[in-house]
Amino acid sequence: MIRIDHLDHLVLTVASIEESCAFYARVLGMGVETFAEGRKALTFGNQKINLHQAGHEFEPKAKRPTPGSTDLCFISETPIDDVIVHLKAEGVAVEVGPVRRTGAAGAILSVYFRDPDDNLIEVSNTIS
């Protein structure tokens, strides 16, 4: 049997790599890494999100890579009320929240908003 330990990276197909890098760095404080002949990735903790430009994806790729088809949830140490204040200051509209949800490790308090490709982004605090 295969035993998975953790997620190393995922790939997000975007309309504009530059716009996505700017958004995730400005709004979520992620790092931007250049690797392997100029490819871009968003970094946070010990994980990363590799970016593929729609129509110019790297092989192998998903069967139907499409900007705006992803839902992502990030756990933040920043209190959710401060997240909301920051999002508003950055001109990012909160669609839902704060609301209680169930995350991978238990209860979370979440807010939802959209990235430049209309992917659904959830930022959450764990609830003890």
Side-chain angles (χ1 to χ4, degrees):
M1 178 188 317
I2 294 175
R3 293 176 55 119
I4 302 299
D5 181 61
H6 65 276
L7 180 69
D8 179 78
H9 72 277
L10 59 88
V11 175
L12 190 60
T13 302
V14 299
S16 168
I17 289 176
E18 295 77 20
E19 188 175 346
S20 293
C21 287
F23 177 86
Y24 282 89
R26 177 178 53 87
V27 175
L28 294 176
M30 292 186 181
V32 176
E33 171 186 304
T34 303
F35 70 103
E37 297 135 19
R39 293 179 59 191
K40 298 286 186 183
L42 304 168
T43 60
F44 56 98
N46 61 356
Q47 290 137 82
K48 68 177 185 166
I49 300 172
N50 291 345
L51 299 178
H52 284 188
Q53 181 82 36
H56 302 282
E57 298 87 1
F58 293 90
E59 295 292 342
K61 64 180 184 286
K63 189 74 166 179
R64 287 178 282 286
T66 306
S69 64
T70 303
D71 294 358
L72 297 170
C73 178
F74 300 103
I75 301 297
S76 176
E77 294 177 358
T78 305
I80 214 71
D81 289 338
D82 294 344
V83 170
I84 293 168
V85 168
H86 175 70
L87 291 172
K88 289 183 181 179
E90 293 296 334
V92 176
V94 172
E95 280 194 19
V96 177
V99 292
R100 288 180 65 103
R101 297 290 192 239
T102 302
I108 56 177
L109 185 64
S110 302
V111 294
Y112 294 84
F113 55 95
R114 302 280 173 174
D115 77 357
D117 291 298
D118 283 335
N119 291 302
L120 184 64
I121 307 300
E122 178 181 0
V123 173
S124 307
N125 292 157
T126 56
I127 300 172
S128 356

